[in-house]
Amino acid sequence: MKTKRRKFSFSNLAIYIILSAMSVVWIMPILWLIMTSFRGEPGAWTPYIFPKEYTVANYTRLFTETGLFNYPRWFINTLIVAVFTCVISTILVLMTSYTLSRLRFRGRKGIMNIGLILGMFPGFMSMIAIYFILKAMGLSQSLTALVLVYSGAAGLGYFIAKGFFDTIPRVLDEAAIVDGANQNTIFWRIILPLSKPIVVYTVLMSFIAPWVDFIFVSVIMKDNYNNYTIALGLYQMITRENIYRYFTQFCAGAVLIAIPITILFIYMQKYYVEGVTGGAVKG
Amino acid sequence: MRKILAIILTLAMFGAVLAGCKKEPETITLKVWGSQEDQAMLQEMIDAFKTAHTDANYVITLGVVSEADAKTKVLEDPAAAADVFQFANDQIVDLVNAGALYEVTRNKADIIAANMEGSIEASTVNDKLYAYPSTADNGYFMYYDKSVFSAEDVKSLDTMLTVADAAGKKVFMDVSNGWYIASFFLGAGGKLTVGEDGKQVCDFNNANGVKAGEAIKAFTAHNAFLAGDDAVLTGGIGTTIAAGVSGTWNAEAISEKLGENYAATKLPEFNMGGTQAQMSSFAGFKLVGVSSQTQAPVAAMELAEWLTNEENQIKRFETRQMGPANINAANSEEVKANVALAALAEQNQHAVSQKEVLGGYWVPAEAFGTAMEAKDYSKTIQEMLDEMVAQIQG
Amino acid sequence: MRFIKNYFMTFAAGDIITKISYLIMGAGCFLRGQIIKGLLFLFLQASFIVYLFNFGLGQLKLLPTLGTATRVEVWNEELQIYEYVQGDNSMLILLFSVMTIIIILAFLVIYHLNIKTAYNNQLTKERGGKLNNMIRDIRSLFDSNLHVTFLTLPTIGVVTFTILPLIFMILIAFTNYDQSHQPPGNLFTWVGLENFRNIFWNDPLQARTFVGILQWTLIWAFFATFSNYILGMILALMINKKGIRLKKLWRTIFVMTIAVPQFVSLMLMSRLLADQGAMNVLLGYLGIGPIQFLTNALYARITVIVVNIWVGVPYTMLITSGILMNIPADLYESARIDGANPVKTFTRITLPYMLFVTTPYLITQFVGNINNFNVIYLLTGGGPLSLDYYQAGKTDLLVTWLYKLTVNNQDYNLASAIGIIIFAISAAMSLIVYNMSSSTKKEETFQ
């Protein structure tokens, strides 16, 4: 990347102003969350905005007082589930979307339409049925069950990735076939390296799901407190009996979840910029 | 030949005697559900149970499901439910309807004699006892700031509002919540029952109901009225808020905030078209039930009874400040000295059972409360209550 | 019908080995030397038969009634308790019947494949050709039949976790599974179309609520989708514009809002915007009276859309910046050579390209918003509740309404009926849009 000194541009100035204004709006609730997580006074509501005293106890207590809320354990559970979910989902999504985008076979349109319709089904309505299916498979209340729930039907999310594959020029495939590659090699050697943005997108989206879902996990885990994920665990902190004492810890817990995800995003960002722009389209 | 037979016989007899002597105690596996905050306490109770019952080898595990979630979790999959679980009394009808609870028949008379009438009533459906009362603290009453109100002031809602307004403070109540708002209608003599056909019957739109509705309107329109949720109450009490309606779960937070000005009492009287009427409330209990799908009903019942006996109800009070449903325990000096529990006991004399409140009640009642809080007077109280009752009755 | 016709014609034309494989699966393979393939078929057939007779048929037999045995209680005088003999569980019968039917259908597909393979093998032999060995079969799965390999796993996942529950849910709408018919203590049974009649005709309040909520659901989905799309794209264009510095920083700021779990950020928002919330405290400092962000019907509707922009724009920004960077540079190059100005470049190249690529995304978003449970439920809980509606509030979507119906009233049948209606609406709409949209018609334009 070469950086040339550019002339002062009026439109760029306007953009900087708009971006700054938007950033303030977007970042404010986050700042409030962070501020609350350092608040010394307990309670979910205060009649004033800025805390009277600040403390890091909300963070340290998450890790030292694990008798009631085992935050570290939930954190690890969630991490395990998230890693497996994102690997499986990504594979399923990429296989489905690549097949539907670039391979030609009988019934392709039909499958696409069926997939389109099925993706519309509100997932949480089927929770109970899914629970009993998993129970019949002997998997209830386990982390494996949770991974399957989050990634099992991932193939239905093929749209966005298919849209992306549609834009990769076909000449690349043809050239590879001339070189003697089979369809499988084309996928792995040619298409996948070009598809970093969409891979990254899929990875991120599926990685996040386990951190934020609290409905499915409560149906699957029931009373198995040790297998709770972080979202469900945090939710226990804000029940009627606990919210006064644990609200600030709840905020601290939420901040700690946000950190790895933010880092992941920042790290993955470079693929957006470098991975694609220099890509195959030049040829 | 005979010799051999004799040896075999002797051996067989010997073996039988040996087996008889060595008779392994039966292993009984039970699971208990309680809230996360109760786990340590429940574990102690269970250990004591095991020590007291050596007839069998008990393997008792604990799972975390709070009283509030018990119904949802049990009904999701009754076969996976714990053998013994704690739940809030408003769930009992649904649990019984789904056939999830084991009828209590062993030592029934003793259980009925030991616990408060209201708690037994709350554990009974269709004249059958289905649960063991464990606490009597799931209701609401009034917390107030002694530096603002005198003991006389808190007897009347109107006086409270005037005094609070003069002091520049607020009286808090979550009016947009069917649980709290019912205190006006029930106090005005309203009835919420289940009819012959299993549908909800409600008369909150009769003449007295309208008077209660007008009282709610006057209350919410008053300058000193403040609405919100628990967080607003616990956050503001002592500074902006001088009194608020809530339950024992906030006792610790509120006493901490108010310090020596901490006080609690029954709900006040309200102005019902010129006469003063005592605000009512829903009486709330926490119960322990036995799953109808348990493999060891006798042991499960023994454990449930154990968890709710006098000794353990006192333990609940001592470790977690939970008000006992057991008559002896409730009459102890320590319990009576607890400000919040004393206020609740006082309010419970005016309370109504929540058992006959069906699921369809909450949303319309909340809708009415929301309209009042938003000061939406586009319809008359009579019209709104007619609509509310029509919806409640489904 | 073609299948059935083929079925008999193949039988007639088949030799003895092909005919055997009608009864013993895989015979057409292992008798002709394809041992592994043949044994695989045989194994599938055996497991299917074991499943069917041990479990499946028992469930199917109960499907017409959904169970008849209710729970029996017997008094045990010695122990002083009732002993319960558990009856049938209608819900499990329904679920496992659906599962069995799906397994039967899957088996029929494999059975059909077995016959086809046997017959093809026969024809190949007759022509004197050589049969594929295992290695060549596998090799074809990675080349000409790659679609089979790639779609198998996703299909199994979708069938288990979407199709099976979906059919189950659809069938519930035709039963009386409600408050007074809850398993396992009670049985429920088929009632035909009664639940739909209740929604549309029998109860004017329910009908009125349905129409009101449906309208708002569509309005919400429209605004929520397009406000996010347009603002997200503008944001991405601004950040990606040449000459804008600190691209990474800007993106990170917006991405941070994704990183905070939605249930936390939405709960915070609802606290911030409550009547006593921080926003109103702040406005109070500025001398602006409290605004009922969440308790006034109209304000609450605007609030949820605005908060949804806050929630959704970072996602749109991410997806669109990915695509923006993927626009072939030579398209821009040729446009520049033709002397097009920036606006023209945008309308001629960027926009059509974006629309082409993102139509599927838009559809998913639109439908996702129709079913946007989280934002509504966590932010307003559907409120402000209204007496005009049956058990619902002014920001309730159809999904949140049906969720409340199941949680508060255990009306699973009614909820399923509403679920089917939502599903039908979104499916029809997206099928039409998707098949009319340029992105399918010109699927290969940019390839």
Side-chain angles (χ1 to χ4, degrees):
Chain A
M1 287 276 243
K2 286 170 274 175
T3 39
K4 273 186 232 158
R5 271 194 66 85
R6 285 171 201 287
K7 280 188 299 183
F8 172 81
S9 148
F10 187 75
S11 66
N12 280 5
L13 179 70
I15 287 176
Y16 281 126
I17 292 172
I18 297 170
L19 281 179
S20 312
M22 283 176 81
S23 300
V24 170
V25 174
W26 256 261
I27 214 78
M28 265 240 296
I30 311 287
L31 287 180
W32 196 64
L33 173 73
I34 295 171
M35 195 172 74
T36 311
S37 73
F38 285 107
R39 190 174 73 201
E41 314 93 86
W45 182 82
T46 49
Y48 43 85
I49 290 178
F50 292 101
K52 293 201 167 127
E53 50 181 297
Y54 292 88
T55 172
V56 289
N58 296 323
Y59 287 90
T60 52
R61 275 160 64 200
L62 281 177
F63 295 94
T64 53
E65 294 173 14
T66 53
L68 208 49
F69 301 110
N70 198 344
Y71 187 84
R73 168 108 202 204
W74 297 334
F75 198 94
I76 291 169
N77 286 345
T78 318
L79 193 63
I80 295 170
V81 173
V83 167
F84 282 98
T85 303
C86 99
V87 170
I88 298 178
S89 308
T90 309
I91 292 174
L92 292 184
V93 169
L94 291 180
M95 288 202 309
T96 317
S97 47
Y98 176 78
T99 311
L100 294 178
S101 165
R102 303 187 75 81
L103 300 179
R104 290 293 174 270
F105 54 94
R106 205 157 56 92
R108 188 180 72 100
K109 273 269 155 62
I111 289 176
M112 266 163 56
N113 281 338
I114 292 172
L116 182 78
I117 300 175
L118 288 176
M120 272 150 212
F121 177 53
F124 74 87
M125 283 206 57
S126 58
M127 273 183 315
I128 300 287
I130 290 180
Y131 165 78
F132 280 105
I133 294 168
L134 288 166
K135 195 180 165 194
M137 292 158 80
L139 287 172
S140 57
Q141 303 201 6
S142 66
L143 295 179
T144 320
L146 212 51
V147 172
L148 285 180
V149 167
Y150 292 139
S151 58
L156 290 179
Y158 69 84
F159 284 121
I160 295 168
K162 178 189 175 287
F164 182 89
F165 286 134
D166 281 347
T167 64
I168 297 177
R170 193 162 268 280
V171 281
L172 290 175
D173 303 27
E174 283 150 14
I177 289 172
V178 171
D179 293 347
N182 68 12
Q183 288 291 345
N184 188 45
T185 344
I186 293 178
F187 175 64
W188 294 101
R189 295 273 168 73
I190 312 232
I191 306 297
L192 211 52
L194 291 181
S195 312
K196 265 188 190 143
I198 207 67
V199 173
V200 169
Y201 176 82
T202 319
V203 165
L204 286 181
M205 292 303 120
S206 46
F207 186 80
I208 290 176
W211 298 89
V212 297
D213 166 67
F214 61 98
I215 299 179
F216 264 103
V217 67
S218 107
V219 173
I220 304 289
M221 287 311 167
K222 297 196 186 299
D223 61 336
N224 196 347
Y225 217 55
N226 284 331
N227 275 354
Y228 273 20
T229 60
I230 212 130
L232 185 59
L234 284 181
Y235 225 69
Q236 308 299 314
M237 290 189 178
I238 50 168
T239 56
R240 192 177 75 175
E241 278 79 10
N242 297 329
I243 186 166
Y244 178 74
R245 196 134 300 287
Y246 291 99
F247 183 75
T248 46
Q249 270 193 53
F250 165 85
C251 291
V255 171
L256 288 185
I257 304 178
I259 290 172
I261 302 182
T262 313
I263 292 174
L264 195 73
F265 268 88
I266 294 173
Y267 175 73
M268 294 286 197
Q269 252 188 41
K270 71 173 188 200
Y271 292 108
Y272 279 99
V273 188
E274 287 161 15
V276 201
T277 40
V281 274
K282 272 180 192 160
Chain B
M1 192 64 207
R2 205 190 260 172
K3 229 178 193 173
I4 297 170
L5 200 72
I7 291 171
I8 291 173
L9 266 177
T10 326
L11 274 177
M13 273 171 68
F14 190 64
V17 171
L18 256 185
C21 286
K22 253 177 62 183
K23 189 175 171 243
E24 287 261 320
E26 192 190 354
T27 298
I28 296 173
T29 316
L30 291 174
K31 188 188 245 185
V32 179
W33 277 356
S35 64
Q36 175 65 11
E37 307 90 277
D38 285 353
Q39 298 284 303
M41 180 181 77
L42 285 172
Q43 189 59 54
E44 287 172 22
M45 292 180 187
I46 288 168
D47 291 344
F49 176 83
K50 283 191 201 161
T51 324
H53 294 74
T54 44
D55 54 315
N57 178 22
Y58 288 96
V59 179
I60 302 173
T61 50
L62 265 170
V64 178
V65 172
S66 74
E67 288 88 354
D69 297 335
K71 182 184 94 178
T72 324
K73 291 289 143 202
V74 169
L75 294 187
E76 267 169 21
D77 182 10
D83 303 276
V84 176
F85 55 90
Q86 310 195 124
F87 63 98
N89 66 315
D90 56 307
Q91 303 166 6
I92 193 166
V93 176
D94 286 337
L95 286 169
V96 170
N97 279 345
L101 285 173
Y102 216 116
E103 189 182 335
V104 179
T105 43
R106 289 169 66 92
N107 301 333
K108 188 176 168 184
D110 294 347
I111 295 159
I112 291 175
N115 291 292
M116 293 174 186
E117 209 187 317
S119 68
I120 293 299
E121 201 269 344
S123 314
T124 308
V125 179
N126 305 328
D127 299 324
K128 291 174 178 170
L129 186 66
Y130 279 102
Y132 303 79
S134 80
T135 76
D137 58 4
N138 209 18
Y140 50 89
F141 48 92
M142 169 89 77
Y143 289 102
Y144 68 95
D145 183 341
K146 262 196 283 192
S147 68
V148 179
F149 300 110
S150 69
E152 198 55 40
D153 291 339
V154 292
K155 288 193 173 147
S156 150
L157 184 61
D158 287 348
T159 318
M160 289 182 75
L161 287 169
T162 319
V163 172
D165 204 19
K169 300 203 173 193
K170 303 283 184 190
V171 175
F172 169 92
M173 183 167 173
D174 190 358
V175 169
S176 57
N177 182 324
W179 202 46
Y180 293 110
I181 201 176
S183 56
F184 285 94
F185 294 109
L186 297 170
K191 291 271 176 295
L192 200 56
T193 51
V194 178
E196 290 286 309
D197 56 352
K199 295 219 161 155
Q200 186 90 67
V201 178
C202 175
D203 67 354
F204 290 0
N205 59 341
N206 64 15
N208 280 342
V210 173
K211 284 178 191 166
E214 293 291 351
I216 296 169
K217 182 175 169 183
F219 178 37
T220 50
H222 199 282
N223 189 35
F225 166 77
L226 183 73
D229 59 5
D230 272 4
V232 173
L233 173 64
T234 51
I237 190 114
T239 51
T240 50
I241 299 171
V245 177
S246 187
T248 48
W249 58 92
N250 277 329
E252 202 188 331
I254 291 175
S255 75
E256 201 175 278
K257 286 265 172 133
L258 285 178
E260 58 179 13
N261 290 322
Y262 171 63
T265 182
K266 70 176 170 64
L267 297 177
E269 291 178 338
F270 68 96
N271 184 339
M272 186 182 133
T275 55
Q276 292 289 310
Q278 171 63 43
M279 283 170 82
S280 179
S281 64
F282 283 126
F285 303 92
K286 284 178 184 160
L287 312 173
V288 172
V290 172
S291 162
S292 65
Q293 303 216 0
T294 176
Q295 297 300 312
V298 175
M301 284 183 188
E302 270 172 20
L303 180 59
E305 204 181 328
W306 175 270
L307 293 176
T308 56
N309 63 16
E310 184 181 333
E311 188 192 333
N312 280 324
Q313 291 206 23
I314 292 174
K315 193 181 177 72
R316 280 168 202 270
F317 169 72
E318 283 168 351
T319 33
R320 301 228 32 237
Q321 281 74 50
M322 294 166 139
N326 181 291
I327 296 168
N328 292 339
N331 283 334
S332 77
E333 288 306 312
E334 290 81 11
V335 174
K336 284 190 163 170
N338 183 302
V339 174
L341 290 178
L344 181 61
E346 210 183 329
Q347 177 61 35
N348 270 348
Q349 293 172 6
H350 308 283
V352 170
S353 161
Q354 199 179 321
K355 210 174 58 195
E356 302 214 3
V357 184
L358 300 183
Y361 162 76
W362 306 104
V363 172
E366 188 179 336
F368 175 74
T370 307
M372 288 291 104
E373 280 183 3
K375 302 191 178 64
D376 171 6
Y377 304 134
S378 52
K379 292 174 189 160
T380 66
I381 295 288
Q382 179 74 58
E383 283 167 356
M384 292 172 95
L385 292 179
D386 286 347
E387 282 178 1
M388 178 179 94
V389 167
Q391 287 206 33
I392 289 173
Q393 297 188 338
Chain C
M1 289 312 97
R2 202 165 49 89
F3 288 109
I4 297 168
K5 204 171 138 203
N6 275 351
Y7 180 81
F8 292 108
M9 280 177 42
T10 316
F11 189 78
D15 63 3
I16 183 69
I17 293 179
T18 309
K19 282 190 170 108
I20 290 175
S21 63
Y22 270 70
L23 200 62
I24 301 168
M25 281 172 57
C29 297
F30 58 71
L31 291 181
R32 288 195 168 101
Q34 294 177 316
I35 307 287
I36 301 176
K37 203 171 170 186
L39 290 181
L40 254 165
F41 273 125
L42 194 62
F43 171 74
L44 284 175
Q45 184 179 24
S47 10
F48 174 72
I49 289 171
V50 169
Y51 168 80
L52 203 61
F53 284 94
N54 279 344
F55 182 77
L57 281 182
Q59 300 292 323
L60 278 186
K61 224 180 284 168
L62 292 171
L63 183 62
T65 55
L66 291 176
T68 46
T70 44
R71 192 172 70 184
V72 183
E73 47 178 43
V74 187
W75 177 248
N76 183 327
E77 187 60 38
E78 190 201 338
L79 294 175
Q80 288 287 302
I81 56 166
Y82 284 106
E83 281 174 346
Y84 297 131
V85 181
Q86 297 297 341
D88 293 331
N89 185 330
S90 305
M91 189 178 70
L92 292 183
I93 292 173
L94 186 59
L95 182 64
F96 290 134
S97 298
V98 173
M99 191 168 97
T100 307
I101 291 171
I102 288 180
I103 289 177
I104 292 176
L105 288 178
F107 174 75
L108 287 180
V109 171
I110 295 169
Y111 179 72
H112 175 78
L113 194 69
N114 150 61
I115 292 172
K116 220 170 95 180
T117 317
Y119 188 59
N120 282 346
N121 282 353
Q122 179 195 340
L123 293 182
T124 316
K125 283 264 169 172
E126 278 167 11
R127 268 191 273 108
K130 206 167 161 287
L131 289 186
N132 274 357
N133 60 17
M134 204 61 198
I135 295 166
R136 271 180 64 189
D137 270 341
I138 291 175
R139 205 173 278 158
S140 90
L141 281 178
F142 286 99
D143 196 8
S144 56
N145 282 327
L146 189 66
H147 61 275
V148 178
T149 321
F150 272 15
L151 286 183
T152 305
L153 265 183
T155 309
I156 292 174
V158 168
V159 168
T160 321
F161 292 105
T162 305
I163 296 184
L164 174 49
L166 173 71
I167 298 174
F168 173 74
M169 189 215 73
I170 289 175
L171 292 176
I172 292 281
F174 302 96
T175 68
N176 59 354
Y177 182 10
D178 60 13
Q179 206 163 18
S180 38
H181 299 90
Q182 281 186 69
N186 306 281
L187 299 166
F188 61 81
T189 189
W190 302 106
V191 295
L193 290 170
E194 200 177 303
N195 298 313
F196 292 93
R197 272 199 289 273
N198 280 338
I199 296 176
F200 290 118
W201 294 284
N202 292 359
D203 190 335
L205 184 63
Q206 271 181 29
R208 186 171 73 201
T209 311
F210 178 77
V211 172
I213 294 184
L214 177 63
Q215 268 172 5
W216 161 241
T217 305
L218 294 176
I219 294 173
W220 147 263
F222 178 82
F223 280 105
T225 309
F226 287 98
S227 59
N228 273 354
Y229 184 65
I230 292 165
L231 288 174
M233 192 154 55
I234 292 175
L235 184 63
L237 282 171
M238 286 198 300
I239 294 178
N240 290 327
K241 186 173 181 293
K242 269 187 191 151
I244 294 293
R245 304 236 182 130
L246 305 172
K247 289 191 191 332
K248 239 184 184 171
L249 175 77
W250 296 121
R251 271 193 220 115
T252 308
I253 287 173
F254 291 98
V255 155
M256 266 174 76
T257 62
I258 299 183
V260 176
Q262 231 177 54
F263 77 94
V264 175
S265 55
L266 288 173
M267 211 198 68
L268 282 181
M269 284 289 198
S270 84
R271 293 211 165 270
L272 274 173
L273 297 170
D275 287 353
Q276 273 80 35
M279 190 59 100
N280 273 323
V281 173
L282 203 68
L283 289 178
Y285 289 154
L286 303 174
I288 305 167
I291 299 174
Q292 296 175 317
F293 290 109
L294 300 174
T295 44
N296 173 298
L298 180 66
Y299 293 168
R301 288 182 166 185
I302 297 172
T303 306
V304 288
I305 291 176
V306 172
V307 170
N308 186 63
I309 291 177
W310 186 88
V311 169
V313 157
Y315 288 96
T316 331
M317 180 206 69
L318 273 187
I319 182 86
T320 43
S321 29
I323 297 166
L324 280 174
M325 275 179 267
N326 206 40
I327 297 182
D330 46 358
L331 288 182
Y332 284 124
E333 204 63 46
S334 51
R336 203 171 326 134
I337 292 164
D338 294 347
N341 62 25
V343 179
K344 252 192 186 151
T345 322
F346 180 78
T347 51
R348 294 268 173 84
I349 297 169
T350 314
L351 203 59
Y353 190 90
M354 288 303 288
L355 276 176
F356 162 72
V357 179
T358 53
T359 307
Y361 176 76
L362 271 176
I363 298 170
T364 351
Q365 284 300 297
F366 191 81
V367 174
N369 278 322
I370 289 182
N371 292 323
N372 200 330
F373 180 81
N374 269 2
V375 168
I376 299 292
Y377 189 76
L378 294 172
L379 194 62
T380 64
L385 294 174
S386 164
L387 286 170
D388 301 340
Y389 283 172
Y390 173 74
Q391 304 275 337
K394 289 291 185 185
T395 57
D396 257 321
L397 304 180
L398 285 169
V399 260
T400 54
W401 184 40
L402 72 84
Y403 180 78
K404 286 182 189 171
L405 285 177
T406 56
V407 171
N408 296 339
N409 296 7
Q410 278 91 38
D411 286 335
Y412 295 98
N413 52 350
L414 200 62
S416 288
I418 297 169
I420 291 179
I421 297 167
I422 305 178
F423 184 53
I425 293 171
S426 22
M429 211 145 52
S430 39
L431 268 188
I432 294 168
V433 177
Y434 189 62
N435 284 317
M436 272 172 29
S437 77
S438 53
S439 91
T440 5
K441 280 191 186 146
K442 293 181 277 174
E443 207 170 27
E444 280 148 33
T445 319
F446 290 92
Q447 282 190 359

